Amino acid sequence: MIDHRPLLRAIFDAAVAAAHPDSILAARLPDVPRGRIICLAAGKGAAAMAAAAERHYLDTLGLDPARLVGIATTRHGHRVPTRAIEVIEAGHPVPDAEGLRGAEASLALAATATPDDLLLVLLSGGGSANWILPAEGITLAQKQQTTRALLRSGAPIGEVNAVRKHLSRIKGGRLARAGANAAEIVTLAISDVPRDEPSAIASGPTVPDPTTLADARALVARYKLELDDAVRAALNDPRNESVKAGDAAFARARFEIIATPRQSLDAAIQVARDAGYEVTDLGADLEGEARDVAAAHAGLAREARAAGKKLAILSGGELTVTVRGNGRGGPNQEYALSLAQHLKDLPDVAALAADTDGADGGAGNATDPAGALIDARTFAKLDELKLDPAATLAANDATTFFEHTGDLLLTGPTLTNVNDIRVILV
């Protein structure tokens, strides 16, 4: 039996490399202004983006270090060494007090910008959780409870962020308003959202927001979220409406996406083709319940197997899990577990599902698994240990399942994030 795991990992690594700040950021950085560069970064790639900006401005261009200031707020365990830009490690996916400190300090620094300064905002996936600055009248604990309820609801990320933006003093264009003392604002973003919607990346702190308070209230009702009275009151307060197109905050603001899930999926596809596989490209924007999407993809794999094809089925996007059990896991592990359930009688099919940031669900630790792999070894362990995929799915306990089979993908922080990469090799 051929070991497909090295190829699966090479496909995943190619997707990550295509979006890494070290290789993509420098060429997109703006020119040096007459005044300072105020660099504010948020997300899982924030520290890596800040370090890349430092190398460009301080080393390549020889900028006086006194003219570069900033704060990078990133996930715990995602720090890299920096010189001029302070790094703050904060909670994700549930925000914490360090995220509050990072957001407050970033908003205050933005407010010092002058017409000669450049406000350089570097965003990557995870910024919504890392920059936590609750609206007036809401405590950090109440915002944390709201975040947990949203994450458990199964709502897609765009809807999650539509609610978060209306409970924040930094999201939904508010950072741009804080720095709008005629300073130029340039935002460079690594997209982690389906269809690369700017207002959804890190909840759009520097761009107009098309969603409204009414939208947020409707989502709370649709998902039957149990929220504190203070949170519900905030969603009824007109002062918490996000910043809309035409606001003066965006007069000198420019937004550019420098890496996308599509680019990373294309890089992954090229590796599969180079290995001799025909490719079925399901797109970079998939959404839906992880176990249901996996069932559909397993059907495609069975069809290819029956037709005698050598096929790689690849997809990106961000799947969700409606949490009903008390186990451990994430959408990629749940997808892989559902695949194992549906393909366990096909030992010549192998698959990988992982988050390009290196952490799939989990407890917010840098050691969380990126996802999982399955192949003939998985199916053999399933039988040997008498594991029950259906019962494990019901408990939302995919991590425990793959700990038993030895199939967790452990990468550590990759320092970027362009959503998920899923590949099935037939």
Side-chain angles (χ1 to χ4, degrees), residues 347-401:
D348 49 357
V349 175
L352 176 149
D355 196 320
T356 55
D357 66 8
D360 176 53
N365 301 317
T367 55
D368 289 336
L373 305 96
I374 65 165
D375 61 8
R377 281 183 277 174
T378 312
F379 308 145
K381 277 288 186 181
L382 193 157
D383 289 337
E384 176 189 338
L385 300 175
K386 295 182 171 49
L387 301 175
D388 185 344
T392 310
L393 281 169
N396 296 118
D397 200 19
T399 299
T400 298
F401 178 93

Coordinates of all heavy atoms in Angstrom, one line a residue, residues 347-401:
P347 N -9.6 1.3 1.4 CA -8.3 1.5 2.0 C -7.3 2.3 1.0 O -6.3 2.7 1.5 CB -7.7 0.1 2.2 CG -8.5 -0.8 1.3 CD -9.9 -0.2 1.2
D348 N -7.7 2.4 -0.3 CA -6.8 3.1 -1.2 C -7.3 4.6 -1.4 O -6.9 5.2 -2.3 CB -6.8 2.4 -2.5 CG -8.1 2.0 -3.1 OD1 -9.1 2.3 -2.4 OD2 -8.2 1.5 -4.2
V349 N -8.0 5.1 -0.4 CA -8.4 6.5 -0.4 C -7.8 7.1 0.8 O -7.8 6.5 1.9 CB -9.9 6.7 -0.4 CG1 -10.3 8.2 -0.2 CG2 -10.6 6.1 -1.6
A350 N -7.2 8.3 0.7 CA -6.5 9.0 1.8 C -7.0 10.5 1.7 O -7.3 11.0 0.7 CB -5.0 8.9 1.7
A351 N -6.9 11.1 2.9 CA -7.4 12.5 2.9 C -6.7 13.3 4.0 O -6.2 12.7 5.0 CB -8.9 12.6 3.1
L352 N -6.7 14.6 3.9 CA -6.3 15.5 4.9 C -7.2 16.7 4.9 O -7.7 17.2 3.9 CB -4.9 16.0 4.6 CG -4.2 17.1 5.5 CD1 -2.7 17.0 5.5 CD2 -4.6 18.5 5.0
A353 N -7.5 17.1 6.1 CA -8.3 18.4 6.3 C -7.7 19.1 7.5 O -7.5 18.6 8.6 CB -9.8 18.0 6.7
A354 N -7.3 20.4 7.2 CA -6.6 21.2 8.2 C -6.8 22.7 8.0 O -7.1 23.1 6.9 CB -5.1 20.9 8.1
D355 N -6.7 23.4 9.0 CA -6.7 24.9 9.0 C -5.3 25.4 8.7 O -4.4 25.0 9.4 CB -7.2 25.4 10.3 CG -7.7 26.9 10.2 OD1 -7.0 27.6 9.5 OD2 -8.7 27.2 10.9
T356 N -5.2 26.3 7.8 CA -3.9 26.8 7.4 C -3.2 27.6 8.5 O -2.0 27.9 8.3 CB -4.0 27.7 6.1 OG1 -5.0 28.7 6.3 CG2 -4.4 26.8 4.9
D357 N -3.9 28.0 9.5 CA -3.3 28.7 10.6 C -2.6 27.7 11.6 O -1.9 28.1 12.5 CB -4.2 29.6 11.4 CG -5.3 28.8 12.1 OD1 -5.3 27.6 12.2 OD2 -6.3 29.5 12.6
G358 N -2.8 26.4 11.4 CA -2.2 25.4 12.3 C -3.0 25.0 13.5 O -2.6 24.2 14.3
A359 N -4.2 25.6 13.6 CA -5.1 25.2 14.8 C -6.5 25.1 14.4 O -7.1 26.1 13.9 CB -5.0 26.3 15.9
D360 N -7.1 23.9 14.6 CA -8.5 23.6 14.2 C -9.3 23.5 15.4 O -9.2 22.5 16.1 CB -8.5 22.3 13.4 CG -9.9 21.9 13.0 OD1 -10.6 22.7 12.4 OD2 -10.3 20.7 13.3
G361 N -10.1 24.5 15.7 CA -10.9 24.5 16.9 C -10.0 24.5 18.2 O -9.1 25.2 18.3
G362 N -10.2 23.5 19.1 CA -9.3 23.4 20.2 C -9.6 24.4 21.3 O -10.6 25.1 21.3
A363 N -8.7 24.5 22.2 CA -8.8 25.3 23.4 C -8.1 26.6 23.3 O -8.0 27.3 24.3 CB -8.3 24.5 24.6
G364 N -7.7 27.0 22.1 CA -7.0 28.3 21.9 C -5.5 28.2 22.3 O -4.9 29.2 22.5
N365 N -5.0 27.0 22.2 CA -3.5 26.8 22.6 C -2.7 26.6 21.3 O -3.2 26.1 20.3 CB -3.4 25.6 23.4 CG -4.1 25.7 24.7 OD1 -4.1 26.7 25.4 ND2 -4.8 24.6 25.1
A366 N -1.5 27.0 21.3 CA -0.6 26.9 20.2 C -0.3 25.4 19.8 O 0.1 25.1 18.7 CB 0.7 27.6 20.4
T367 N -0.6 24.5 20.8 CA -0.4 23.1 20.6 C -1.6 22.4 20.0 O -1.6 21.2 19.9 CB 0.0 22.4 21.9 OG1 -0.9 22.7 22.9 CG2 1.4 23.0 22.3
D368 N -2.7 23.1 19.8 CA -3.9 22.5 19.2 C -3.6 21.9 17.9 O -2.8 22.4 17.1 CB -5.0 23.5 19.1 CG -5.6 24.0 20.4 OD1 -5.5 23.2 21.4 OD2 -6.1 25.1 20.5
P369 N -4.3 20.8 17.5 CA -4.0 20.2 16.2 C -4.5 21.1 15.1 O -5.5 21.8 15.2 CB -4.8 18.9 16.3 CG -5.9 19.1 17.3 CD -5.3 20.0 18.3
A370 N -3.8 21.0 13.9 CA -4.3 21.7 12.7 C -5.4 21.1 12.1 O -6.2 21.7 11.3 CB -3.1 21.9 11.8
G371 N -5.6 19.8 12.3 CA -6.6 19.0 11.6 C -6.3 17.5 11.7 O -5.7 17.1 12.8
A372 N -6.6 16.7 10.7 CA -6.4 15.3 10.8 C -6.2 14.7 9.4 O -6.6 15.3 8.4 CB -7.5 14.6 11.5
L373 N -5.6 13.5 9.4 CA -5.5 12.7 8.1 C -6.2 11.4 8.3 O -6.3 10.9 9.4 CB -4.0 12.5 7.8 CG -3.0 13.6 7.7 CD1 -2.3 13.8 9.1 CD2 -2.0 13.4 6.6
I374 N -6.6 10.8 7.2 CA -7.2 9.5 7.3 C -6.6 8.7 6.1 O -6.4 9.2 5.0 CB -8.7 9.5 7.2 CG1 -9.3 10.0 5.9 CG2 -9.3 10.2 8.4 CD1 -10.7 9.7 5.7
D375 N -6.4 7.4 6.3 CA -6.0 6.5 5.2 C -6.2 5.1 5.7 O -7.0 4.9 6.7 CB -4.6 6.7 4.8 CG -3.6 6.5 5.9 OD1 -3.9 6.1 7.0 OD2 -2.4 6.9 5.6
A376 N -5.6 4.1 5.1 CA -5.8 2.7 5.4 C -5.5 2.4 6.9 O -6.1 1.6 7.6 CB -5.0 1.8 4.5
R377 N -4.4 3.1 7.4 CA -4.0 3.0 8.8 C -5.2 3.4 9.7 O -5.4 2.8 10.8 CB -2.8 3.7 9.1 CG -1.5 3.1 8.6 CD -0.3 3.9 9.0 NE 0.0 4.9 8.1 CZ 1.0 5.9 8.2 NH1 1.7 5.8 9.3 NH2 1.2 6.8 7.3
T378 N -5.8 4.5 9.4 CA -7.0 5.0 10.2 C -8.0 3.9 10.3 O -8.6 3.6 11.3 CB -7.5 6.2 9.6 OG1 -6.5 7.2 9.3 CG2 -8.5 6.9 10.6
F379 N -8.4 3.4 9.1 CA -9.5 2.4 9.0 C -9.1 1.1 9.8 O -10.0 0.5 10.4 CB -9.8 2.1 7.6 CG -10.0 3.3 6.7 CD1 -9.7 3.3 5.4 CD2 -10.6 4.4 7.3 CE1 -9.9 4.4 4.6 CE2 -10.9 5.5 6.5 CZ -10.5 5.6 5.2
A380 N -7.8 0.7 9.8 CA -7.4 -0.5 10.5 C -7.5 -0.2 12.0 O -8.0 -1.1 12.7 CB -6.0 -0.8 10.1
K381 N -7.1 1.0 12.5 CA -7.2 1.3 13.9 C -8.6 1.3 14.3 O -9.0 1.0 15.4 CB -6.5 2.6 14.1 CG -5.0 2.6 14.3 CD -4.6 1.9 15.6 CE -3.1 2.0 15.9 NZ -2.8 1.3 17.2
L382 N -9.5 1.9 13.5 CA -10.9 2.0 13.8 C -11.5 0.6 14.1 O -12.2 0.4 15.1 CB -11.6 2.6 12.5 CG -13.1 3.1 12.7 CD1 -13.3 4.1 11.6 CD2 -14.0 1.9 12.5
D383 N -11.1 -0.4 13.3 CA -11.6 -1.8 13.5 C -10.9 -2.4 14.8 O -11.5 -3.0 15.6 CB -11.3 -2.6 12.3 CG -12.2 -2.3 11.2 OD1 -13.3 -1.7 11.4 OD2 -11.8 -2.6 10.0
E384 N -9.6 -2.2 14.8 CA -8.8 -2.8 15.9 C -9.3 -2.3 17.3 O -9.4 -3.1 18.3 CB -7.3 -2.5 15.7 CG -6.4 -2.9 16.9 CD -5.0 -2.4 16.7 OE1 -4.6 -2.0 15.6 OE2 -4.3 -2.3 17.8
L385 N -9.5 -1.0 17.4 CA -9.9 -0.4 18.7 C -11.4 -0.4 18.9 O -11.9 0.1 19.9 CB -9.3 1.0 18.8 CG -7.8 1.1 18.7 CD1 -7.4 2.6 18.7 CD2 -7.2 0.4 19.9
K386 N -12.2 -0.8 17.9 CA -13.6 -0.8 17.9 C -14.2 0.6 18.2 O -15.1 0.8 19.1 CB -14.1 -1.8 19.0 CG -13.8 -3.3 18.6 CD -14.4 -4.3 19.7 CE -14.2 -5.7 19.2 NZ -12.9 -6.1 18.7
L387 N -13.7 1.5 17.4 CA -14.1 2.9 17.6 C -15.4 3.1 16.8 O -15.6 2.5 15.8 CB -13.0 3.9 17.0 CG -11.7 3.8 17.7 CD1 -10.7 4.7 17.0 CD2 -11.8 4.2 19.2
D388 N -16.2 4.0 17.3 CA -17.5 4.3 16.7 C -17.6 5.7 16.1 O -17.8 6.6 16.9 CB -18.6 4.0 17.7 CG -20.0 4.2 17.1 OD1 -20.2 4.7 16.0 OD2 -21.0 3.7 17.8
P389 N -17.3 5.9 14.8 CA -17.3 7.3 14.3 C -18.6 8.0 14.5 O -18.6 9.2 14.8 CB -17.0 7.1 12.8 CG -16.3 5.8 12.7 CD -16.9 5.0 13.8
A390 N -19.8 7.3 14.4 CA -21.1 8.0 14.5 C -21.2 8.5 15.9 O -21.7 9.7 16.2 CB -22.2 7.0 14.1
A391 N -20.9 7.7 16.9 CA -21.0 8.1 18.3 C -20.1 9.3 18.7 O -20.4 10.2 19.4 CB -20.8 6.9 19.3
T392 N -18.9 9.2 18.1 CA -17.9 10.3 18.3 C -18.4 11.6 17.7 O -18.2 12.6 18.3 CB -16.5 9.9 17.8 OG1 -16.2 8.6 18.2 CG2 -15.5 10.8 18.2
L393 N -18.9 11.5 16.5 CA -19.5 12.7 15.9 C -20.6 13.3 16.7 O -20.7 14.5 16.9 CB -20.0 12.4 14.5 CG -19.0 12.3 13.4 CD1 -19.6 11.7 12.1 CD2 -18.4 13.7 13.1
A394 N -21.5 12.4 17.3 CA -22.6 12.9 18.1 C -22.1 13.7 19.3 O -22.7 14.6 19.8 CB -23.5 11.8 18.5
A395 N -20.9 13.3 19.8 CA -20.3 13.9 21.0 C -19.4 15.1 20.6 O -18.8 15.7 21.5 CB -19.5 12.9 21.8
N396 N -19.3 15.4 19.3 CA -18.3 16.4 18.9 C -16.9 16.2 19.5 O -16.3 17.1 20.0 CB -18.8 17.8 19.2 CG -20.1 18.2 18.5 OD1 -21.1 18.4 19.2 ND2 -20.1 18.2 17.2
D397 N -16.4 14.9 19.4 CA -15.2 14.5 20.1 C -14.2 14.0 19.1 O -13.5 13.0 19.3 CB -15.5 13.5 21.2 CG -14.4 13.4 22.2 OD1 -13.6 14.4 22.3 OD2 -14.4 12.4 22.9
A398 N -14.0 14.7 17.9 CA -13.1 14.2 16.9 C -11.7 14.1 17.4 O -10.9 13.2 17.0 CB -13.2 15.0 15.7
T399 N -11.2 15.1 18.2 CA -9.9 15.1 18.7 C -9.5 13.8 19.4 O -8.5 13.2 19.2 CB -9.6 16.3 19.6 OG1 -9.8 17.5 18.9 CG2 -8.1 16.3 20.1
T400 N -10.4 13.3 20.3 CA -10.2 12.1 21.0 C -10.1 10.9 20.1 O -9.2 10.0 20.2 CB -11.3 11.9 22.1 OG1 -11.3 12.9 23.0 CG2 -11.1 10.6 22.8
F401 N -10.9 10.9 19.1 CA -10.9 9.8 18.1 C -9.6 9.7 17.4 O -8.9 8.6 17.3 CB -12.0 10.0 17.1 CG -12.1 9.0 16.0 CD1 -12.9 7.9 16.1 CD2 -11.3 9.1 14.8 CE1 -12.9 6.9 15.1 CE2 -11.3 8.2 13.8 CZ -12.1 7.0 13.9

